[in-house]
Amino acid sequence: NAGVTQTPKFRVLKTGQSMTLLCAQDMNHEYMYWYRQDPGMGLRLIHYSVGEGTTAKGEVPDGYNVSRLKKQNFLLGLESAAPSQTSVYFCASSYSGDNYGYTFGSGTRLTVV
Amino acid sequence: QKEVEQDPGPLSVPEGAIVSLNCTYSNSAFQYFMWYRQYSRKGPELLMYTYSSGNKEDGRFTAQVDKSSKYISLFIRDSQPSDSATYLCAINTDKLIFGTGTRLQVFP
């Protein structure tokens, strides 16, 4: 039982390059989330999805896009990376949107130079 | 005002000490409160959750909610070096809102 798997684990991008982060969960969870974690800022929600085919903006959505074409996968895209997007990105999933907590992946460390 | 405030620490204690970690929150309507533990270079993992006011105990860990003062606490008894991690409080509205985390180090 893998839980939530994020790929890649590490990546270095040049400013202006694009990339996609993949999150996959095998728990049949409806809800999925993308967070970024920065020193002193805690975890901030970028985008989330309440089911296959749905997406919604979180607290810090600018510069990111997402897609949820399959229930088990949630993709986070950076179209034109900027140094301000250097961060650790975490994907999470939950059975429902409330009360039971989230299961997190192990993170993707992204550096934009 | 942030919805959840948490002292970032770091907090350094000797093995066997009682640790108190705290958060304050702004909205009295919040009902579900959680604590996550995050080891270095790992994702957060759910440690405990509580509903409304009162205490919840799980082994050496006790989560406490005081809704009158909008204060949530996590107590760790007989702390161990393996407890060294960052602890994040979280409040569930329709999404989780996290505190910034408190880094705890327990030294032998």
Side-chain angles (χ1 to χ4, degrees):
Chain A
N1 189 353
V4 177
T5 302
Q6 291 183 234
T7 53
K9 296 191 183 304
F10 305 92
R11 184 73 185 268
V12 177
L13 282 180
K14 293 183 178 179
T15 298
Q17 286 185 320
S18 63
M19 77 163 295
T20 300
L21 284 67
L22 173 64
C23 177
Q25 53 94 4
D26 61 1
M27 298 170 286
N28 201 33
H29 283 172
E30 288 292 336
Y31 291 65
M32 297 187 74
Y33 313 83
W34 276 107
Y35 284 87
R36 60 178 290 174
Q37 188 174 37
D38 303 288
M41 304 293 289
L43 284 158
R44 293 182 292 168
L45 183 64
I46 305 172
H47 286 281
Y48 65 101
S49 168
V50 300
E52 182 179 313
T54 75
T55 63
K57 294 180 179 180
E59 179 185 358
V60 288
D62 294 343
Y64 305 95
N65 57 75
V66 287
S67 64
R68 184 103 180 265
L69 299 180
K70 293 183 178 180
K71 184 177 183 180
Q72 63 267 35
N73 295 336
F74 196 27
L75 279 63
L76 178 70
L78 287 74
E79 291 186 346
S80 179
S84 60
Q85 295 178 303
T86 294
S87 187
V88 182
Y89 291 86
F90 287 101
C91 176
S93 70
S94 66
Y95 178 71
S96 65
D98 58 356
N99 310 340
Y100 297 104
Y102 298 176
T103 301
F104 280 83
S106 57
T108 296
R109 291 185 171 272
L110 176 65
T111 301
V112 182
V113 296
Chain B
Q1 182 186 5
K2 286 187 178 181
E3 291 182 284
V4 183
E5 301 266 12
Q6 184 174 10
D7 187 336
L11 186 60
S12 185
V13 301
E15 184 176 355
I18 297 174
V19 175
S20 173
L21 303 166
N22 307 293
C23 290
T24 59
Y25 61 94
S26 59
N27 190 334
S28 57
F30 294 150
Q31 296 274 38
Y32 294 89
F33 307 93
M34 301 176 185
W35 285 95
Y36 282 77
R37 178 174 60 195
Q38 185 177 20
Y39 290 114
S40 180
R41 296 183 175 269
K42 299 290 186 183
E45 55 179 345
L46 181 64
L47 190 59
M48 296 186 73
Y49 73 90
T50 55
Y51 171 73
S52 194
S53 283
N55 292 357
K56 184 173 183 179
E57 190 173 320
D58 184 1
R60 296 184 294 109
F61 298 88
T62 300
Q64 188 175 79
V65 178
D66 182 346
K67 292 200 77 179
S68 62
S69 57
K70 291 184 277 188
Y71 202 79
I72 57 176
S73 302
L74 178 69
F75 299 98
I76 307 174
R77 292 184 300 280
D78 188 24
S79 56
Q80 302 295 309
S82 59
D83 295 328
S84 298
T86 296
Y87 291 80
L88 302 105
C89 61
I91 292 171
N92 205 335
T93 57
D94 59 342
K95 296 173 288 298
L96 283 186
I97 303 169
F98 287 89
T100 53
T102 299
R103 188 157 58 91
L104 171 67
Q105 182 179 3
V106 182
F107 56 91

